[in-house]
Amino acid sequence: MSFFTELDVSVIAPSLPFLWTGLKFTVTLTLIAMSGGIILGTLLALARLSPFSPLAMAASWYVNLMRSIPLLMVILWFFLIIPLITGYPMGAETSAIITFTAFEAAYYSEIMRAGIQSVSRGQVFAGQAIGMTYAQTMGHIVLPQAFRNMLPVLLTQTIILFQDTSLVYAIGAKDLLKAAEIAGKNYNRPVEMYIFAAVIYFVICFSLSRLVKHLQSRIAIIR
Amino acid sequence: MIEINNISKWYGQFQVLADCSTRIAKGEVVVVCGPSGSGKSTLIKCVNGLESFEQGDVIVDGTSVGSPTTILSKLRSRVGMVFQHFELFPHMSITENLTIGQIKVLGRSKDEALQRGLKLLDRVGLRSQAEKFPGQLSGGQQQRVAIARALAMDPICMLFDEPTSALDPEMINEVLDVMVELANEGMTMMVVTHEMGFARKVAHRVIFMDHGRIVEDATKDDFFGTPRSERAQLFLSKILSH
Amino acid sequence: MNYHWNWGIFLEQVKGGDETYLNWLFTGLGWTLAVAISAWLIALSIGIGIGTLRTAPNKGLAWFAATWVELFRNVPLLVQMFLWFFVVPELLPREWSLWVKQDLPAKEFITATLCLGLFTSARVAEQVRAGIQSLSRGQTMAGLAVGFTLTQTYRYVILPMAFRIIIPPLTSEFMNIFKNSSVAFAIGVMELTFQARQMQEDSEQGIETYLAVTVLYFICAFIANRGMAFLEQRTRVPGFIASAK
């Protein structure tokens, strides 16, 4: 195999600090979009389940719209088109953060909706029976249980989100993949850099998916 | 016809079968009973190799089940089996359920298989249901079809693994009737069941199992008349008091 | 908002060419459909094979299938695109490598289709495995008891039922493949997203362009959904209610 003897891994070490900056942005983007997405997603889920039908309908429209178009299109919409409408251009990084939060909220909301519905109605009645308001019942009784039941699914979605952040490549934000590409051009060793980036993605996602498996078995026992 | 010679089986540390031996002659009907978890279902599945075993051997019509050179699918095509939960193939019509084995395993022509299938369907009284799907039949009807499916392969013997225990009480008899008729015709049968009425009516021998062992292996009259083991006596008194 | 609307843009000619922008979008739609549908065929055939192997009694085969799934599931699709496009040709023997780089016809399309197909095969395999495992062990036993070999049991008993059970999750996977095909723009396949960017730069009518392309993606998703619903209805088993597991 001539290929492996030709691989020059020595170029990886000097580019590590640069790649690290890229990875830091990838992780930051993932974490912000995850927290924002779960909060916004939970609100969307509550809206969809609310008895006030215009609100429920608006939320369901938003979720279905986001889920039927490619993420790449959403990224381009937010970066190229929305500034045309608002008149305020945004940097690629800021735009990416807003896009991913808004986009992932739709997916997290479907998970939270399933989670809320997995909590038995008896729990809601029990909360109301001791005099809690709707908001209190949701906040203290239903949502904590929904969140716990759905933790593995939420995490799985986060792994997908982590992988999807690589698509910010399309608007030139400097994430891990973009950093690897630039480093590859600088040293004229794109092959090594792409492989290295792939390995990093794999190691992180694979470890997280093991964690999810572990959580699933733990939660199965608690139930 | 069926020789079970000293078979033992373990699930990890747990021994499910301990040194079980018995013989079933051609034309004989043997009922296997015992409390749940006693290993009777495992034992009957060892006869056609659906469950493996670590020690001993089973010989069916001269063929060793444990031997690595035995082609198990060949052997199984000659041994009919009926399951507790019927296990008809849900995506096939009743006719297809009855013919697929004949066509794909025995290499019969479609016409031949269909004729044989319909004849057996007649026999279990379900000719009118031929074009339906399993999900559209009652449990008792499904189990009768399952018996017909096994018979369609012209088996040399039949294994029944708790054929009536998943059925509603009012459906049990329609299945037992078919089995009694089969026994009276001289079919070699090994039947795991709690239906002691059936055992009294047609069994030649009764085997009682407990904790993976064959505790009692006696003729029907001896078993119901003077069971030797205390456990068998206890089991009988519990079952018959219903 | 001082945006200059021009809904007639689609019928105007592109700069320096005799096509209209509408032609560009339809070319894009054509490539999107071509990539998505060919990749789906690859994903289905390999996914069914790998998913089945994951339930195989042979440890080695099951391990191979599990590794396949983990590999294709844990690396982002875009990174996989780059691996297939820039890295894999370097892995090949020299003559093949040259041929792939210089003479392979429709190189971008073939690479993108293969990549998307293999990526999706891992997801299909997981659905197939779940479908098989949702069937009772008794069904396998019943197949074997009739005298089928293990292969025949899978062919006639297990897979036909598993396939019916997994049609709903497969539907969303089929819709995903249209969405995911947009990633092929990164290696230069002239599909919808590629054409959207090109048209926006060329015409400077961003809003009209992106609205039109978004609607086209919608239509793809809708047709995929209806197609699978039709299949589901056609393969419905009378009297069978899939148990929720």
Side-chain angles (χ1 to χ4, degrees):
Chain A
M1 288 296 274
S2 64
F3 168 75
F4 289 102
T5 52
E6 279 171 28
L7 267 189
D8 184 4
V9 285
S10 69
V11 298
I12 291 173
S15 18
L16 278 180
F18 187 65
L19 292 172
W20 175 238
T21 345
L23 181 60
K24 266 198 298 198
F25 176 69
T26 296
V27 172
T28 314
L29 176 56
T30 307
L31 290 179
I32 296 179
M34 177 187 75
S35 345
I38 291 179
I39 295 170
L40 210 59
T42 307
L43 293 177
L44 279 169
L46 289 175
R48 282 194 79 172
L49 295 170
S50 96
F52 181 57
S53 65
L55 187 63
M57 213 148 79
S60 122
W61 261 88
Y62 177 81
V63 170
N64 287 332
L65 175 73
M66 284 297 177
R67 281 160 45 92
S68 8
I69 37 182
L71 172 55
L72 206 47
M73 286 304 289
V74 182
I75 293 173
L76 294 172
W77 264 104
F78 273 82
F79 185 63
L80 298 172
I81 309 305
I82 297 203
L84 285 181
I85 301 171
T86 59
Y88 295 106
M90 265 184 293
E93 279 79 9
T94 321
S95 171
I97 287 173
I98 297 176
T99 311
F100 274 86
T101 308
F103 183 80
E104 293 299 326
Y107 285 82
Y108 284 123
S109 94
E110 284 295 273
I111 299 171
M112 285 312 289
R113 188 165 67 114
I116 292 170
Q117 286 171 336
S118 76
V119 178
S120 79
R121 285 200 58 78
Q123 290 286 308
V124 178
F125 294 141
Q128 287 167 341
I130 57 170
M132 284 184 169
T133 64
Y134 175 78
Q136 284 173 324
T137 316
M138 272 295 165
H140 295 295
I141 313 283
V142 178
L143 286 180
Q145 294 186 55
F147 192 78
R148 199 202 64 192
N149 292 349
M150 287 295 133
L151 197 56
V153 193
L154 289 169
L155 250 176
T156 303
Q157 182 59 36
T158 305
I159 299 176
I160 296 173
L161 160 64
F162 179 75
Q163 293 189 19
D164 280 348
T165 57
S166 62
L167 293 178
V168 298
Y169 171 91
I171 54 174
K174 282 193 200 61
D175 71 327
L176 172 61
L177 178 60
K178 190 77 188 174
E181 191 191 58
I182 294 171
K185 282 205 176 106
N186 285 350
Y187 291 95
N188 200 24
R189 297 307 265 183
V191 170
E192 286 82 352
M193 285 302 167
Y194 283 131
I195 294 179
F196 186 65
V199 169
I200 294 180
Y201 277 112
F202 180 82
V203 169
I204 295 177
C205 294
F206 184 72
S207 326
L208 282 175
S209 71
R210 292 286 110 172
L211 179 70
V212 171
K213 270 217 169 123
H214 178 70
L215 269 178
Q216 267 168 338
S217 51
R218 280 278 300 275
I219 287 180
I221 293 169
I222 294 170
R223 276 180 187 167
Chain B
M1 179 68 68
I2 301 171
E3 282 178 47
I4 300 175
N5 297 331
N6 308 92
I7 63 171
S8 295
K9 177 181 174 68
W10 286 264
Y11 285 133
Q13 291 292 310
F14 180 69
Q15 188 163 15
V16 268
L17 292 178
D19 202 25
C20 297
S21 298
T22 192
R23 265 156 208 265
I24 298 173
K26 191 169 186 322
E28 206 175 13
V29 176
V30 174
V31 162
V32 183
C33 60
S36 59
S38 59
K40 49 198 192 316
S41 274
T42 311
L43 180 70
I44 200 172
K45 287 192 182 105
C46 286
V47 173
N48 63 352
L50 286 179
E51 293 277 5
S52 59
F53 41 86
E54 279 81 39
Q55 282 173 16
D57 200 3
V58 178
I59 315 283
V60 179
D61 194 31
T63 311
S64 151
V65 176
S67 155
T69 56
T70 300
I71 301 168
L72 277 176
S73 57
K74 267 253 163 62
L75 176 82
R76 289 177 187 136
S77 70
R78 304 175 62 219
V79 178
M81 183 152 199
V82 175
F83 296 86
Q84 180 178 2
H85 296 286
F86 335 131
E87 305 297 352
L88 295 177
F89 306 135
H91 57 296
M92 298 179 192
S93 70
I94 300 306
T95 341
E96 287 169 313
N97 264 283
L98 291 169
T99 55
I100 180 122
Q102 299 183 62
I103 297 169
K104 302 292 175 190
V105 177
L106 301 181
R108 287 180 183 159
S109 74
K110 272 196 178 143
D111 275 353
E112 202 185 346
L114 186 64
Q115 277 187 355
R116 178 89 186 116
L118 290 179
K119 211 173 135 197
L120 285 162
L121 210 49
D122 237 347
R123 189 183 153 161
V124 298
L126 292 170
R127 177 66 187 258
S128 58
Q129 315 287 333
E131 290 319 309
K132 289 206 174 149
F133 282 76
Q136 297 169 308
L137 302 188
S138 73
Q141 290 174 321
Q142 289 193 51
Q143 194 62 301
R144 279 145 68 196
V145 173
I147 295 174
R149 176 176 71 182
L151 290 175
M153 305 293 286
D154 295 317
I156 53 171
C157 60
M158 290 280 287
L159 308 173
F160 293 84
D161 183 12
E162 305 208 29
T164 56
S165 53
L167 294 174
D168 293 336
E170 69 268 24
M171 293 173 184
I172 290 178
N173 279 331
E174 63 183 69
V175 171
L176 287 180
D177 287 348
V178 174
M179 290 169 61
V180 168
E181 201 182 308
L182 204 56
N184 290 337
E185 281 169 22
M187 175 62 82
T188 311
M189 291 163 71
M190 183 170 176
V191 185
V192 173
T193 187
H194 288 163
E195 294 295 331
M196 289 301 126
F198 171 80
R200 278 183 196 279
K201 209 185 276 176
V202 294
H204 299 105
R205 269 174 36 232
V206 178
I207 290 174
F208 176 75
M209 289 186 72
D210 196 17
H211 292 112
R213 287 181 189 281
I214 293 182
V215 179
E216 188 124 358
D217 185 346
T219 63
K220 171 178 65 180
D221 295 338
D222 281 352
F223 184 78
F224 289 112
T226 52
R228 272 161 294 175
S229 73
E230 226 172 273
R231 276 178 287 181
Q233 284 173 7
L234 194 68
F235 177 77
L236 270 180
S237 70
K238 269 187 189 159
I239 272 214
L240 295 178
S241 65
H242 281 306
Chain C
M1 175 176 158
N2 48 8
Y3 182 80
H4 174 71
W5 291 92
N6 177 10
W7 285 104
I9 187 72
F10 298 107
L11 298 176
E12 284 176 24
Q13 290 206 336
V14 302
K15 286 174 185 146
D18 52 2
E19 290 173 300
T20 61
Y21 287 111
L22 199 61
N23 286 131
W24 275 11
L25 292 190
F26 280 140
T27 312
L29 181 63
W31 283 112
T32 292
L33 292 175
V35 170
I37 291 171
S38 342
W40 183 241
L41 295 179
I42 296 176
L44 262 192
S45 38
I46 296 180
I48 291 172
I50 294 286
T52 308
L53 284 188
R54 284 208 72 176
T55 65
N58 181 315
K59 289 266 177 346
L61 289 176
W63 183 87
F64 167 79
T67 309
W68 178 282
V69 169
E70 295 301 345
L71 269 183
F72 285 102
R73 222 171 36 164
N74 285 314
V75 177
L77 177 57
L78 181 58
V79 176
Q80 292 190 32
M81 270 303 166
F82 287 154
L83 287 182
W84 284 105
F85 198 70
F86 296 115
V87 177
V88 171
E90 307 294 332
L91 280 161
L92 300 170
R94 199 151 313 276
E95 306 85 73
W96 293 22
S97 167
L98 275 177
W99 180 80
V100 167
K101 286 187 212 161
Q102 293 167 0
D103 299 326
L104 179 64
K107 178 183 161 202
E108 293 81 6
F109 167 74
I110 289 176
T111 312
T113 304
L114 186 70
C115 171
L116 185 57
L118 295 180
F119 174 81
T120 313
S121 78
R123 293 151 166 274
V124 172
E126 279 302 272
Q127 319 277 15
V128 170
R129 177 179 68 102
I132 292 174
Q133 288 176 343
S134 76
L135 298 175
S136 74
R137 227 167 79 79
Q139 282 284 302
T140 313
M141 289 206 169
L144 293 174
V146 167
F148 288 148
T149 60
L150 189 61
T151 317
Q152 283 178 316
T153 305
Y154 268 93
R155 159 85 181 72
Y156 298 121
V157 180
I158 304 299
L159 287 177
M161 259 336 274
F163 182 69
R164 286 172 169 86
I165 291 171
I166 62 171
I167 286 182
L170 273 188
T171 303
S172 47
E173 218 46 74
F174 188 40
M175 291 165 75
N176 278 343
I177 213 167
F178 284 93
K179 290 192 271 171
N180 285 336
S181 71
S182 61
V183 175
F185 96 95
I187 58 168
V189 177
M190 294 164 77
E191 46 67 67
L192 271 175
T193 304
F194 185 96
Q195 301 287 9
R197 286 161 58 105
Q198 180 172 275
M199 175 174 166
Q200 189 244 340
E201 274 166 29
D202 205 64
S203 70
E204 290 177 4
Q205 295 294 332
I207 301 182
E208 293 89 337
T209 306
Y210 276 82
L211 274 176
V213 170
T214 303
V215 167
L216 288 177
Y217 272 117
F218 251 128
I219 296 175
C220 287
F222 182 75
I223 292 175
N225 183 294
R226 289 298 89 203
M228 292 296 274
F230 176 71
L231 185 69
E232 186 175 0
Q233 186 228 325
R234 280 295 297 273
T235 57
R236 221 188 78 239
V237 174
F240 181 80
I241 303 141
S243 60
K245 283 215 178 178

